[in-house]
Amino acid sequence: MRYANVVLDIPTRSLDGAFCYAVPMGLGSVVVVGTTVLVPFSHRDVVGYVVGITDGPADGVDPDRVLPVRQVLADAAFDEVAAGVAAWIAHEYACPLCDAVRPFLAPGQKVRVVRASADSPWELVSEKAGPVDVRWASLTEAGASFEPARNASRQREVVEALRRGPQRVAELAAMISGASTAVTALARRGVVIVEERRQVRGREGTSLSSAAAPRPEHLTDGQLDALAAIDGARERGAGDVVLVDGVTGSGKTEVYLDAIEHALATGRGALVLVPEISLTAQTVGRFRSRFGDDVAVLHSRLSAGERFDQWDLVRRGEAHVVVGARSALFAPLRDPGLIIIDEEHEGSYKQDSSPRYHAREVAARMARERGCALVLGSATPSLESLRRCEVGSFRGAAWTRVSMPERPGAAELPKVTIVDMAEQFRRGAHSVFSASLADALGRVAQRREKAVLLLNRRGFANFLMCRECGCVPECPHCSTALTYHERTHSLMCHSCGRSWPVRAFPDPSTRCPNCGSRYLAAFGVGTQRVEDELRMLLPDDVEVIRMDADATRTKGAHQRLLEQFDAAECAVLVGTQMIAKGLDFPDVTLVGVINADTMLKLPDFRAAERTYDLLEQVSGRAGRGDRTGEVIVQTYWATHPAIRAVVHHERDTFLVPELDERSDAGYPPFGRLANVVVWGKNASAVSDASARMAAYVREEVEGRPGWEVLGPADCAKARVKDNVRRHVMVKAPVDADLGGVLSSCAARLGGGMGINMALDIDAYDMA
């Protein structure tokens, strides 16, 4: 008798670990690690995931009392190594084990089961994400010379069509009325053969001309050094990490491509992560041009069926290179030789819902378990990665930094100019564009070139404010100022998504909700306003393309807008952070930053790092071709180290004072940080729960050096969707078991009616 260790899909901290079930003889060959099963638990049937197979029950367990597995609901989605990584995620990030297993499951798989009747088997609910078989028709050998009867006109048309080659029956039916009936009749006579073929949804390419990946004649010295370091780490098979620290446009993607070729030549595959969906179209184009259909793509903009097909290509071993966003890390690639994380500094690699993992840390764990190399690439590496490379190791793996300080060929880093907007304002200039930026945009239009303008806001203005009483309209459900959208004449909350219409602004009937004054003014700048003012500033033959969260809601919008920008003779691309990194357009000669200070004033210890990263990354979009690039950064804080470091591309100008402050305060990379958020409708219950959680943590870590508990206090967003929010911050040493400590304290606190709690280990979002 074989036994299965099953993780139940019941997201509660009280069920810690797997439960033992007997595998019936009839299911012995199909119940393996990774399968989804139906098992009895507490007088009901529940869904579970097999994470281990043994020849006997656990010690001390009576075999006669072990209940059997009822039914297999889905084929294996992961293996023993992935099961071990899931257990590590559950402990490291203080989440229920079932939450840690779910990322490894097939796309679209749901935990709910249904059945048509009491006698029929249970079926797992999915988002239409199963395999799709398509009927194809082709002529048999006898059919090549077959002549239909003179009155069988439909059969004659079908045969003529199939003589040009096999075709889908659905396509024949769309072109020839009654083709399905004719195909069936011809199949009975042995003239046509009909077969089921697997349809692969989401086989996507790209028409961006700049996305092609021609092989360069020569690699730079930096590229050769990086490639040698990666090959060495892969051959050692110990989970070593190589940080490719290359300036923007230094050819990191070419290093990735060559390294993957070397891995494929040894029979191993590669996982490639990119930070945002907006990068996927160009990235896929580069990889597909080198590796063809050996590339599978996984990201959230694909439909459930498309994601399943791409995922299943990997599971069946038909694709050995996986490219995608954060979740692509969990693709069932059998033997990866490389895991590559491009733009590794990006905050989007941190998951904001359970399990709240960081892709870099999970990838490092996977690399150790799989015996492969982890490659991190960035022009602005995270402070954590730089620190680990300085130390030389972390959690048993060697960390190596390789510098790529030059761009290939004649391309040079762009010249960066800082414009002090406070000085511009004192001189009476109140435009969105400084004189320097307006003049530079005019020169771009004259030379028929392209420009990119970055603004880390969407909407027409940040907020409305009453000039008489100072009231700023806020969302009645969240402690967030409403953003004014001029195109739709609406105020929108970007926390809960609600919106309220207002009269065309400024309109006398639009009045302050506090004092009734009609003197409401729009403050701040949004992407819509920049787009409108650009159209007034530039000639009509210059295309203005806006790319933000509002403009890219629909499927394929990212790629369509990038294709439009790429195809234009002269254009300006206005956008938010999604345009700041990864895009490679050689004919972009100007980059403008409308307001570089957006993030500097946020109550976040990473604010300066994020500002520096964003400015350095967006600066790198200019001058990637033969023509020299220019960058103009508008700011009200021209003396800040993060701003000054970008001017001469000197990271230490920002890094030295930043690391000193982090070290003194015990913040990462010199420590770990967790954010425990408690929320609910009842303010007193939330306050009590957060206070008790803080007390439990203080009691648990008392006397341990390097630990500090801050709070509880109101969150920066103290109310969201009518929920009151409070949080507790926990600092710990770099090598501390932060997840284990908080998980035990949370279990001790238990659940409360209407009280929710999130344990965010290695937190990035402090709001």
Side-chain angles (χ1 to χ4, degrees):
M1 174 70 73
R2 297 166 70 238
Y3 295 83
N5 295 322
V6 179
V7 173
L8 305 181
D9 202 310
I10 303 175
T12 174
R13 299 181 190 280
S14 60
L15 297 180
D16 185 19
F19 290 81
C20 183
Y21 288 89
V23 179
M25 295 297 295
L27 298 178
S29 61
V30 291
V31 175
V32 296
V33 171
T35 51
T36 302
V37 294
L38 191 72
V39 294
F41 181 78
S42 187
H43 308 293
R44 61 190 176 107
D45 288 341
V46 298
V47 175
Y49 312 111
V50 179
V51 295
I53 297 292
T54 61
D55 292 329
D59 293 341
V61 177
D62 183 358
D64 294 333
R65 301 190 63 184
V66 176
L67 299 175
V69 172
R70 293 246 197 264
Q71 183 181 334
V72 172
L73 299 171
D75 294 336
F78 55 87
D79 59 11
E80 292 87 349
V81 174
V85 172
W88 177 85
I89 291 173
H91 180 84
E92 184 74 4
Y93 294 100
C95 68
L97 185 52
C98 65
D99 284 357
V101 171
R102 284 178 189 163
F104 294 92
L105 302 178
Q109 179 173 320
K110 299 295 184 182
V111 299
R112 188 166 57 90
V113 291
V114 297
R115 59 180 176 181
S117 65
D119 298 328
S120 60
W122 291 96
E123 294 182 359
L124 197 63
V125 173
S126 67
E127 300 173 343
K128 300 180 180 178
V132 173
D133 291 328
V134 178
R135 297 172 67 229
W136 282 72
S138 58
L139 291 177
T140 62
E141 186 175 344
S145 57
F146 176 76
E147 289 294 334
R150 293 181 60 183
N151 61 346
S153 58
R154 291 194 180 93
Q155 291 187 17
R156 186 179 303 278
E157 290 183 70
V158 168
V159 170
E160 288 297 324
L162 294 179
R163 281 176 178 159
R164 301 186 184 96
Q167 295 194 38
R168 289 169 53 194
V169 174
E171 291 175 347
L172 285 173
M175 295 182 293
I176 304 171
S177 177
S180 297
T181 303
V183 166
T184 302
L186 291 169
R188 284 199 299 265
R189 301 182 65 174
V191 175
V192 169
I193 184 171
V194 178
E195 58 184 344
E196 302 284 341
R197 295 186 187 178
R198 175 68 182 276
Q199 177 188 1
V200 178
R201 297 155 287 192
R203 278 285 195 195
E204 50 178 271
T206 176
S207 61
L208 294 172
S209 61
S210 57
R215 193 183 301 274
E217 293 183 8
H218 305 286
L219 297 180
T220 66
D221 291 342
Q223 287 175 316
L224 290 172
D225 290 344
L227 189 57
I230 294 169
D231 286 343
R234 176 178 50 78
E235 290 166 1
R236 287 191 294 274
D240 292 346
V241 182
V242 177
L243 173 63
V244 181
D245 182 1
V247 298
T248 53
S250 58
K252 292 185 288 293
T253 301
E254 183 59 38
V255 172
Y256 305 155
L257 293 168
D258 286 4
I260 292 171
E261 279 189 326
H262 295 177
L264 292 175
T266 65
R268 307 189 75 181
L271 290 166
V272 183
L273 305 190
V274 293
E276 292 182 4
I277 302 304
S278 59
L279 303 183
T280 303
Q282 283 201 332
T283 304
V284 170
R286 293 180 182 133
F287 283 82
R288 281 253 168 90
S289 67
R290 186 69 62 89
F291 305 117
D293 286 341
D294 206 15
V295 176
V297 186
L298 288 169
H299 60 73
S300 61
R301 288 295 176 97
L302 298 176
S303 68
E306 290 169 340
R307 289 198 307 273
F308 178 85
D309 284 345
Q310 296 291 304
W311 180 89
D312 203 36
L313 286 174
V314 181
R315 180 172 62 171
R316 300 200 316 266
E318 296 181 21
H320 302 90
V321 179
V322 180
V323 179
R326 181 181 59 230
S327 61
L329 178 62
F330 303 101
L333 191 62
R334 295 176 184 173
D335 186 19
L338 291 174
I339 301 175
I340 298 171
I341 302 182
D342 193 29
E343 310 291 2
E344 67 88 21
H345 65 279
E346 273 295 311
S348 59
Y349 285 123
K350 183 69 164 70
Q351 172 82 357
D352 59 4
S353 59
S354 185
R356 292 174 171 80
Y357 65 90
H358 195 295
R360 179 186 60 228
E361 310 306 325
V362 176
R365 181 73 182 194
M366 280 187 176
R368 289 184 60 190
E369 298 294 331
R370 298 283 185 189
C372 65
L374 171 60
V375 180
L376 307 176
S378 177
T380 55
S382 63
L383 271 60
E384 288 86 350
S385 294
L386 288 172
R387 175 66 178 171
R388 294 172 189 178
C389 290
E390 182 182 346
V391 174
S393 64
F394 183 71
R395 290 181 174 175
W399 282 64
T400 305
R401 173 179 168 268
V402 182
S403 178
M404 290 172 50
E406 75 279 355
R407 287 181 167 183
E412 298 180 356
L413 290 173
K415 175 187 175 183
V416 180
T417 302
I418 301 297
V419 178
D420 188 339
M421 294 301 287
E423 180 64 27
Q424 294 273 312
F425 187 81
R426 284 192 292 268
R427 293 178 181 177
H430 299 161
S431 171
V432 170
F433 308 114
S434 63
S436 300
L437 183 54
D439 292 343
L441 286 167
R443 292 193 296 272
V444 166
Q446 290 176 358
R447 296 193 300 260
R448 311 305 294 166
E449 295 171 347
K450 294 178 183 177
V452 170
L453 295 184
L454 171 72
L455 177 66
N456 194 24
R457 288 283 181 183
R458 56 191 169 108
F460 186 80
N462 294 353
F463 57 89
L464 297 183
M465 186 174 76
C466 176
R467 288 186 178 273
E468 291 197 8
C469 72
C471 172
V472 176
E474 290 189 351
C475 175
H477 307 280
C478 313
S479 54
T480 306
L482 296 172
T483 299
Y484 177 56
H485 286 249
E486 192 269 343
R487 298 282 175 81
T488 57
H489 302 305
S490 63
L491 289 170
M492 177 174 288
C493 176
H494 288 167
S495 291
C496 67
R498 292 181 173 91
S499 63
W500 291 264
V502 295
R503 298 278 186 176
F505 182 81
D507 184 282
S509 60
T510 301
R511 295 182 178 273
C512 171
N514 182 53
C515 69
S517 169
R518 63 185 181 88
Y519 295 107
L520 286 173
F523 284 80
V525 180
T527 47
Q528 290 179 5
R529 180 179 170 190
V530 173
E531 179 187 7
D532 291 345
E533 296 209 9
L534 268 177
R535 295 187 187 279
M536 292 186 288
L537 177 69
L538 298 174
D540 293 340
D541 60 353
V542 178
E543 287 194 52
V544 178
I545 301 167
R546 178 167 59 91
M547 191 169 176
D548 57 16
D550 294 326
T552 56
R553 292 184 187 277
T554 58
K555 181 178 178 180
H558 288 86
Q559 182 169 343
R560 176 178 53 78
L561 291 171
L562 291 177
E563 288 176 349
Q564 181 183 349
F565 182 64
D566 187 53
E569 178 193 6
C570 180
V572 179
L573 179 65
V574 180
T576 52
Q577 287 192 33
M578 64 179 64
I579 69 169
K581 51 266 178 185
L583 302 182
D584 186 2
F585 293 103
D587 45 1
V588 171
T589 58
L590 173 67
V591 167
V593 180
I594 303 300
N595 186 355
D597 313 326
T598 306
M599 292 184 291
L600 279 177
K601 308 261 189 338
L602 295 178
D604 180 0
F605 74 93
R606 286 192 176 91
E609 180 184 2
R610 287 173 170 169
T611 299
Y612 168 74
D613 291 348
L614 183 64
L615 295 180
E616 188 68 25
Q617 290 286 340
V618 77
S619 297
R621 300 314 106 202
R624 299 173 78 93
D626 298 330
R627 288 167 284 189
T628 304
E630 180 182 9
V631 179
I632 297 176
V633 178
Q634 299 181 167
T635 175
Y636 287 90
W637 199 346
T639 59
H640 194 284
I643 305 292
R644 291 190 291 111
V646 177
V647 177
H648 301 294
H649 304 286
E650 293 178 351
R651 185 187 300 158
D652 284 349
T653 303
F654 153 74
L655 202 60
V656 172
E658 182 71 13
L659 287 175
D660 286 344
E661 291 183 9
R662 300 264 191 109
S663 178
D664 291 342
Y667 281 123
F670 302 100
R672 301 185 70 185
L673 182 68
N675 188 22
V676 181
V677 181
V678 182
W679 72 95
K681 306 290 185 184
N682 188 314
S684 62
V686 170
S687 179
D688 175 67
S690 60
R692 286 192 292 128
M693 182 65 182
Y696 292 153
V697 178
R698 287 190 173 96
E699 181 182 327
E700 182 76 19
V701 304
E702 185 178 3
R704 300 190 192 184
W707 287 77
E708 185 178 2
V709 182
L710 306 175
D714 288 341
C715 296
K717 294 181 180 178
R719 190 160 54 97
V720 173
K721 299 180 181 178
D722 294 322
N723 284 291
V724 177
R725 303 172 75 244
R726 288 176 66 80
H727 66 154
V728 179
M729 307 289 290
V730 182
K731 294 181 184 179
V734 172
D735 57 351
D737 181 15
L738 188 54
V741 167
L742 293 184
S743 185
S744 64
C745 292
R748 181 179 172 187
L749 179 67
M753 185 66 69
I755 297 296
N756 303 280
M757 182 168 60
L759 306 180
D760 192 0
I761 311 298
D762 298 328
Y764 267 60
D765 184 4
M766 306 301 163

